[in-house]
Amino acid sequence: NMQQVALAESGPLSDSVLLRVVAVGINFRDVLNVLGTYPGDAGPPGSDCAGIVSASGSLVKHLAVGTSVLGQVPGCLGSHAACPWYTLEVKPGCLSFYDAASLVTTFATVDASYHGIPLCNTSVCLVHAAAGGVGLTAVSALRGLGVRVCTTAGSLPKRGFLRSLGILHCASSRSLQFASIIAHHHDHGCAHVLNSLTSPGMVHASASTLQQGGSFVELG
């Protein structure tokens, strides 16, 4: 039910930037949006993007025309899009536009999920659905801190992929077996659980793996 339409182009507001969109990252929210199954008004499709500043408002001082940027730009699924300057960051030169457009929501979600939580190389964290975008980002961030990571994933190929990354404990996300695996290998339990699964018993089993004072983040 999608079609290409021409929109009237206008200059940015005083605190906004007009982008020439180079790449757009598609999230699950966008899929629900175009299928008409998103709960409520999702707005126009597209949010994560990378592009080049083609015009900037009078109050925007640090994003000059020609600057390569990435950020959250609602309705960016088009050739151009406008947004407030504070939703953008300068794109690192080491990233392609396509890589940059894939990072915004996943990395922001992971950053918010672990913000302020003290983790170290003796910590154990459980990441559910770890073969997805947020899951892989969480695994990468945690391993960068030296954290011991336990994961779940829904299929044998996905679990095999996680094991190829060096994840020792990877269980099915379609059963509660992960709880007994963690109890067997980690006496003190998990410091943190990142969950997005809703099957019966999943939340209770996940919470049962937490150590005293541990944290639980529910996505969705």
Side-chain angles (χ1 to χ4, degrees):
N1 62 346
M2 296 185 68
Q3 58 182 330
Q4 183 174 330
V5 297
L7 299 176
E9 185 175 334
S10 60
L13 300 175
S14 59
D15 64 346
S16 298
V17 168
L18 181 66
L19 295 184
R20 178 172 67 82
V21 178
V22 177
V24 174
I26 301 299
N27 293 303
F28 188 54
R29 174 180 177 274
D30 299 308
V31 176
L32 296 179
N33 189 358
V34 299
L35 291 176
T37 56
Y38 187 84
D41 181 12
S47 61
D48 294 5
C49 86
I52 300 171
V53 176
S54 60
S56 58
S58 59
L59 299 180
V60 181
K61 305 301 182 184
H62 70 295
L63 295 176
V65 172
T67 303
S68 298
V69 295
L70 61 92
Q72 288 196 322
V73 184
C76 61
L77 203 61
S79 61
H80 292 77
C83 65
W85 64 267
Y86 51 79
T87 67
L88 301 172
E89 287 289 344
V90 175
K91 182 183 74 67
C94 61
L95 291 176
S96 71
F97 285 101
Y98 305 101
D99 289 337
S102 72
L103 301 180
V104 183
T105 291
T106 53
F107 274 76
T109 300
V110 169
D111 181 69
S113 298
Y114 295 100
H115 182 73
I117 298 173
L119 298 172
C120 62
N121 59 7
T122 61
S123 302
V124 177
C125 290
L126 171 61
V127 178
H128 282 303
V134 170
L136 287 172
T137 303
V139 167
S140 177
L142 292 171
R143 296 186 75 193
L145 296 173
V147 171
R148 291 174 288 176
V149 183
C150 300
T151 64
T152 67
S155 67
L156 284 173
K158 289 180 179 180
R159 294 194 290 276
F161 173 68
L162 290 169
R163 292 189 181 100
S164 75
L165 300 178
I167 305 298
L168 297 179
H169 302 138
C170 183
S172 172
S173 59
R174 298 172 183 172
S175 77
L176 305 181
Q177 186 183 13
F178 66 87
S180 59
I181 292 175
I182 292 173
H184 178 74
H185 291 283
H186 302 289
D187 294 340
H188 299 293
C190 294
H192 187 281
V193 173
L194 183 62
N195 182 53
S196 58
L197 305 176
T198 59
S199 53
M202 186 61 67
V203 171
H204 182 271
S206 299
S208 74
T209 69
L210 286 172
Q211 64 189 37
Q212 185 174 0
S215 55
F216 186 103
V217 170
E218 178 78 15
L219 302 178

